[in-house]
Amino acid sequence: MLNKLTAAIQKLSPELRKIMGNIGWLFADRILRMGVGLIVGAWVARYLMPEQFGLFNYAGAFAGLFGAIATLGLDQIVVRDLVRDPACKNETLGTTFALKIIGGIVTVLVTVGTVFLLNPKEQLTLWLAGIMAGGTIFNAFNTIEFWFQSQVKSKYTVVARNTAFLLTTSLRIALIQMQAPLIAFAWAVLAESLLGAVGLAIAYKAKGKTLLEWRVSWQRAKSLLKESWSLIISSFAIMVYVRIDQIIVGQLAGNEEVGLYSVAARISEIWYFIASAIVTSVTPSIVQAREQSETLYYSKLQKLFNLMALISFSLAIPMTFLSKPLIVMLFGENYARASEMLSIYIWSAVFGFFGWAKSIWIIAEGFTTYALITTCCGAVMNIILNLWLIPLYGGNGSAIATVISYAFTDYVMCLIYPPARKLGWVMTKALTFNFFTFKQLW
């Protein structure tokens, strides 16, 4: 059996073997994080109880919301440029790193300022948000990961990041045993970002590279920001309709409802590691295919969306019916009401997976303005729906708002915008499983 599997793998093209190997490493990374993170996260939730767990997630939502500023919309642009022009690697990486450091500092200031304006008397909320937002400064070291992605060598970043993850997971367990206060768990979030940065630097050094070779070019910075400015706003808009729901739930329904809703959101979104791993691994291949042939390019996109549809439906259907026993088993009876939210929220994963895949098309085509418009429309729709539905249905209303806004942003807008209709048709065929093929992906 093993010999047959080895022989089958050897028949695959070198490019496909490289992509599959990279996906394998990313899957191992996400599965470890999903399994260990979910179990320990549930343990933390049980320890904190819905009220405090809700406050923790409410504060974290602010850090996540403004974390889009720290990324500056550069991630896939940088990977693309490293693939297209490897000779300028050090200038691209150095400039990106400097921009992300500045972005991280701005993120902390904006996060703290916003929380203070909304909750001037709640010092604990302010400290929680500020500490967790501090991790965005160390996330500048994720610039190293972009180089590994461009080389389709994610195993090095997997080792580095998981070392940090396991260390801080052990710290969280220790905090529970010590019956530590809530704020200690915020410091654990910051510690994971710091350790991850150290790990990535070590991995880069192990490949014979050094950060000292990087160069900062403000001319290059202007060029990157000129292309990414719309993605910065787009990324912020994405985070609005990903995180604003928890903030509005907290403002309108209280911390306990946030705690319940956060559990449903976490279980639904934890599966995005699959989409992330696949998209990260196939981006270079699809970008190169566009340079060769439009037919080959859209053929690869179709197969990618087919795969995304199959995976997301395979998750959403059983989760709809198994939500309550799953919630109670992991988080306990105190969180049982979150099962209703989960059975609704999980369907946003279908369009969330499509959104991940669509990001390749946006970058390859240079349609960053389109991304800006669609995500802003989706964010506005999500806010309006949340303000309308949360007073009526609580967390369930927010889950409904999330599904509708995801569907509108990642699918319906492709049918409305003429240049994107070809991609919209690709999505339609994937959603209806027309012409689905199990042939090799690339």
Side-chain angles (χ1 to χ4, degrees):
M1 184 68 178
L2 183 59
N3 291 335
K4 289 182 179 180
L5 180 60
T6 302
I9 293 174
Q10 292 301 319
K11 291 180 181 179
L12 299 175
S13 66
E15 180 188 26
L16 182 57
R17 288 202 301 271
K18 188 176 183 180
I19 289 174
M20 289 181 65
N22 198 67
I23 291 176
W25 275 99
L26 290 171
F27 263 54
D29 171 42
R30 304 304 183 187
I31 289 172
L32 175 63
R33 286 172 174 270
M34 181 184 72
V36 177
L38 184 60
I39 293 171
V40 176
W43 194 358
V44 171
R46 283 174 178 261
Y47 168 70
L48 294 176
M49 300 294 286
E51 180 75 18
Q52 277 203 312
F53 189 62
L55 175 58
F56 180 78
N57 283 279
Y58 174 74
F62 284 100
L65 176 64
F66 297 112
I69 299 173
T71 68
L72 296 173
L74 293 173
D75 295 12
Q76 288 183 305
I77 291 176
V78 173
V79 174
R80 181 202 65 190
D81 288 354
L82 291 171
V83 172
R84 289 180 177 177
D85 191 7
C88 294
K89 169 180 72 74
N90 290 328
E91 182 178 290
T92 299
L93 293 174
T95 303
T96 301
F97 180 75
L99 289 173
K100 282 181 172 286
I101 286 285
I102 296 171
I105 294 171
V106 172
T107 296
V108 175
L109 296 176
V110 172
T111 299
V112 171
T114 303
V115 174
F116 179 75
L117 288 174
L118 292 176
N119 307 277
K121 297 180 180 180
E122 298 181 16
Q123 291 297 311
L124 179 57
T125 305
L126 186 67
W127 274 101
L128 289 170
I131 292 168
M132 287 188 275
T136 59
I137 298 175
F138 298 110
N139 287 344
F141 284 85
N142 289 350
T143 302
I144 297 170
E145 186 174 4
F146 303 152
W147 180 78
F148 282 112
Q149 286 181 20
S150 72
Q151 302 298 304
V152 198
K153 295 180 178 178
S154 293
K155 64 180 180 180
Y156 299 98
T157 61
V158 168
V159 172
R161 294 167 73 92
N162 274 295
T163 300
F165 170 70
L166 292 173
L167 287 173
T168 50
T169 296
S170 300
L171 173 60
R172 290 183 177 95
I173 294 173
L175 292 174
I176 294 172
Q177 296 297 324
M178 294 164 55
Q179 296 189 329
L182 177 59
I183 197 168
F185 292 90
W187 284 111
V189 173
L190 178 62
E192 184 170 351
S193 296
L194 172 59
L195 291 172
V198 173
L200 286 170
I202 293 173
Y204 194 64
K205 180 70 174 178
K207 291 298 294 180
K209 310 292 181 180
T210 173
L211 274 64
L212 298 177
E213 295 175 344
W214 291 0
R215 301 188 305 275
V216 178
S217 166
W218 296 115
Q219 188 63 36
R220 177 67 173 139
K222 291 179 182 179
S223 175
L224 287 170
L225 292 176
K226 184 179 180 180
E227 188 171 5
S228 72
W229 71 268
S230 58
L231 287 176
I232 298 173
I233 302 175
S234 176
S235 296
F236 178 72
I238 290 173
M239 293 312 298
V240 166
Y241 73 81
V242 169
R243 293 288 175 252
I244 199 68
D245 47 5
Q246 295 184 32
I247 294 174
I248 298 177
V249 170
Q251 293 292 123
L252 299 181
N255 289 332
E256 182 175 349
E257 194 75 1
V258 179
L260 297 173
Y261 182 79
S262 298
V263 165
R266 177 168 300 186
I267 294 178
S268 297
E269 295 172 2
I270 200 170
W271 304 104
Y272 286 4
F273 81 90
I274 301 174
S276 174
I278 293 172
V279 169
T280 297
S281 298
V282 304
T283 294
S285 175
I286 293 180
V287 170
Q288 291 170 358
R290 187 182 181 279
E291 305 297 323
Q292 300 172 31
S293 162
E294 184 180 24
T295 301
L296 177 63
Y297 172 58
Y298 274 98
S299 174
K300 289 192 173 187
L301 283 173
Q302 184 67 69
K303 292 175 182 177
L304 175 60
F305 277 96
N306 288 344
L307 181 60
M308 292 299 192
L310 177 65
I311 295 172
S312 58
F313 273 96
S314 298
L315 292 170
I317 293 173
M319 195 69 71
T320 301
F321 301 101
L322 299 175
S323 58
K324 186 167 185 178
L326 179 63
I327 291 285
V328 173
M329 179 183 69
L330 290 173
F331 295 89
E333 285 289 345
N334 289 320
Y335 291 88
R337 196 159 54 85
S339 61
E340 298 176 16
M341 304 175 196
L342 174 58
S343 64
I344 300 169
Y345 198 112
I346 189 64
W347 287 97
S348 67
V350 175
F351 303 103
F353 272 55
F354 276 19
W356 274 97
K358 188 179 71 172
S359 65
I360 301 178
W361 177 83
I362 289 171
I363 295 299
E365 297 292 334
F367 283 164
T368 53
T369 302
Y370 164 76
L372 171 62
I373 294 171
T374 57
T375 50
C376 285
C377 288
V380 171
M381 174 180 284
N382 194 33
I383 292 173
I384 293 173
L385 289 172
N386 270 290
L387 292 173
W388 173 36
L389 295 173
I390 289 174
L392 296 175
Y393 307 109
N396 288 346
S398 189
I400 294 170
T402 298
V403 175
I404 295 173
S405 58
Y406 273 45
F408 178 79
T409 302
D410 293 318
Y411 174 55
V412 175
M413 283 296 290
C414 285
L415 301 176
I416 296 174
Y417 183 59
R421 283 177 184 163
K422 189 169 184 177
L423 185 69
W425 177 239
V426 167
M427 292 182 184
T428 302
K429 289 196 289 185
L431 282 171
T432 56
F433 296 98
N434 284 339
F435 310 110
F436 190 86
T437 176
F438 287 93
K439 294 178 182 179
Q440 78 172 32
L441 208 56
W442 311 135

